Amino acid sequence: MKKKLKPLDRMRNEIDELFRGGIDESGDFLSEIIRQGSRRMIQEILEQEISDALGRKPDERRKEGQKGYRNGYEKKRLKSGEGVIEVYEPQARDMEEPYRSSLLDQMPAMSPKLRELVVEMYARGLSTRDIEDALKGEDGKLLLSRSAVSELTDTLWDEYQNFSRRDLSGYDVVYMFADAVYESLRNEAGFKEGILVAWGICSDKQKVLLHMALGNKESEAAWTNFFRDMTGRGLRQPLMITRDGAPGLIAAIERCFSQSVSQPCFAHKVRNVAAKLPEPVHDEVLLSKRL
């Protein structure tokens, strides 16, 4: 009989599948990865919470005098910025008091923080301080033990390493799209850092996220390092690269992908034209551009 995977193992496999091209051409890859990443992070937090309550990790035996043991999971549905997500609340039996997660009810309110954590996890990796800042209650106290936070940091750092170092030589990328998404960093109130993003459409029509990294205001040096990281991991020259009109990006493409055709993004061009027109003619111009 095939062994049933635990919820966390299933979620890890699903994210790995996304990175291998598990989003079709019509899918919103970034939202889906943030949704799956938030789900995975919540599950990791819930697993650490029950380990705190029991005083031991899942693979550790009960010590003399310890009460309680894990007893499966109960499916829960939570609202997040990326829609409703399913997680699994760990259950426990034989405890002095009935076990119930105290963090689960707080997760919807923490959704914006978790979204930022997921984006930053894949763009630069997370530190213990990042996670501690996100998992503090209104009184400033940690919602998990320091040992649980440390374990969570190690686990999520491994996730970042697996993503940022993975081999790209197996992707036959025909069309690559390069752009920057601007996100507010939690440690810099009011400051937004560019998150450089590259995704591609392969010859088998699968859409794949290739790389994410902090962007230092989209400078040529930042984009050049970004592209060289991917080519160093085996990415071949795409047939075509679609980008916006940022000078640093254009120069970096010419430097790193001289054999690829580089073209501006149609959506960026239409928005730039429309922004310069009087408000009443916006819709007419956009419609004519589509036609």
Side-chain angles (χ1 to χ4, degrees), residues 161-215:
Q161 295 283 65
N162 290 338
F163 169 71
S164 64
R165 294 182 178 182
R166 75 197 197 285
D167 183 11
L168 301 179
S169 62
Y171 296 121
D172 183 20
V173 177
V174 180
Y175 303 105
M176 187 171 79
F177 301 81
D179 201 359
V181 179
Y182 283 85
E183 295 283 341
S184 295
L185 297 181
R186 287 164 291 103
N187 294 331
E188 298 286 348
F191 178 77
K192 289 191 174 183
E193 176 76 53
I195 307 295
L196 308 185
V197 184
W199 66 101
I201 297 177
C202 301
S203 56
D204 58 4
K205 298 185 179 180
Q206 288 183 319
K207 181 183 282 189
V208 58
L209 176 62
L210 297 168
H211 194 29
M212 292 174 64
L214 294 185

Side-chain angles (χ1 to χ4, degrees), residues 195-264:
I195 307 295
L196 308 185
V197 184
W199 66 101
I201 297 177
C202 301
S203 56
D204 58 4
K205 298 185 179 180
Q206 288 183 319
K207 181 183 282 189
V208 58
L209 176 62
L210 297 168
H211 194 29
M212 292 174 64
L214 294 185
N216 190 25
K217 298 187 180 298
E218 296 192 74
S219 67
E220 178 182 348
W223 275 115
T224 298
N225 290 335
F226 181 83
F227 291 142
R228 284 177 174 169
D229 182 286
M230 290 191 293
T231 56
R233 290 186 281 133
L235 181 69
R236 299 186 292 274
Q237 296 259 339
L239 176 66
M240 180 177 291
I241 300 175
T242 300
R243 40 76 184 171
D244 63 16
L249 173 56
I250 295 173
I253 290 174
E254 291 174 352
R255 179 188 297 269
C256 300
F257 297 108
S258 59
Q259 298 176 25
S260 301
V261 176
S262 173
Q263 70 170 22

